[in-house]
Structures are given as structure tokens and as C-alpha cells.
Amino acid sequence: MFEVRLITRDEIAAFIRVHSMVYGRHPSEAYFRQANERFEEQRDIAAFDGDTLVGSSVIHDFRLTVPGGGVQRAGGITNVAVQPTHRRR
């Protein structure tokens, strides 16, 4: 069984490594610093196989206009990445 939850600040580097590996990117030290600085502003979700981070995604906050003129908060999921060893499980 996999655990899916928000990451902690200590898991930022592993989160970025999974995402970068899947998308063929090579993050710089500056990117790791920026991710750490904006950590409180994002909701980064990861899937774990035991202690190993194997999947990642980010939820951005949006506002959604609903019938009648109301506005509701909504989450937009983006940047979904799963290690090749754990796909289709």
C-alpha cells in the first residue's frame, strides 16, 4: 500500500529529484533554494513506497466562478510525475 500525503520541508529535494528525473530536467542549486523559499505557498503532494518518494504532484490554489455568481476555492493539479518503477500500480 502506498502512502499519499503532503511533503515536509525535509522532503523537498527528493520531491524535486523525482519530478526532474521523470521530465528529464537537471535542477540547479538555485532551483532547490527557490523551492525551499516558496514551500509554504504550495501544496506539494507525494506518494511513498515505504520511505521512498516515488510520485509527485503540485496543487495550485484557484478561484472557480459557480452558477449564481459565487466564487469557490478550487485546486488545480499539475506536474504529476511517477518513477518508472511504480507506474500503473
Side-chain angles (χ1 to χ4, degrees), residues 46-59:
F48 293 84
D49 185 359
D51 291 334
T52 305
L53 196 151
V54 296
S56 63
S57 66
V58 176
I59 298 176

Side-chain angles (χ1 to χ4, degrees), residues 1 3 10 20 22 27 40 47 51 61 71 78:
M1 185 72 145
E3 178 184 16
D10 293 337
S20 297
V22 169
E40 301 299 329
D51 291 334
D61 287 325
V71 177
T78 187

